[in-house]
Amino acid sequence: MISYTASQAAMLAPQRIRVNCELNHVDVVLCCDPKAFTHTNPLAGLKKGGVFIVQSNRTEEDLWASFPLWMQKQIVDNDIRVFYLDAVQIAREEAGSADLQLRMQGIAFQGAFFAASPT
């Protein structure tokens, strides 16, 4: 199951999800907002050993340093695998027009999801 954070409320699951609440046991969190941790906990509901994929144009070290200490601790304590990509830059390079760039960001995240998801 996937859970998008904050403003994106799309979910994928083998069956239709018939609940209107926060998900508590997800395998993967896609975070298109690299500053999501300033207004929410993007790791909430992510199970131990889960995957966190975040939008970032930073280096690995800079991205890690940008996470608050509570988030770093949660990642380490729960064996969360963190992946990052610059979907905005990918979209700029690959989409021929500005109106397609937002869609291309979603496609880049979809590719990251399939590459990083547990088998």
Side-chain angles (χ1 to χ4, degrees), residues 57-77:
N57 62 357
R58 299 173 180 233
T59 65
E60 182 178 338
E61 295 80 18
D62 287 344
L63 177 62
W64 181 255
S66 75
F67 294 156
L69 291 178
W70 64 263
M71 190 170 166
Q72 292 178 8
K73 181 175 177 9
Q74 191 173 352
I75 289 168
V76 171
D77 290 350

Side-chain angles (χ1 to χ4, degrees), residues 7-30:
S7 63
Q8 297 184 344
M11 295 169 275
L12 300 175
Q15 297 95 16
R16 183 177 173 158
I17 298 173
R18 297 181 183 266
V19 63
N20 187 13
C21 64
E22 295 297 321
L23 299 175
N24 294 316
H25 304 287
V26 296
D27 298 311
V28 180
V29 170
L30 302 177

Side-chain angles (χ1 to χ4, degrees), residues 27-39:
D27 298 311
V28 180
V29 170
L30 302 177
C31 183
C32 302
D33 178 2
K35 298 259 185 202
F37 54 81
T38 63
H39 53 83

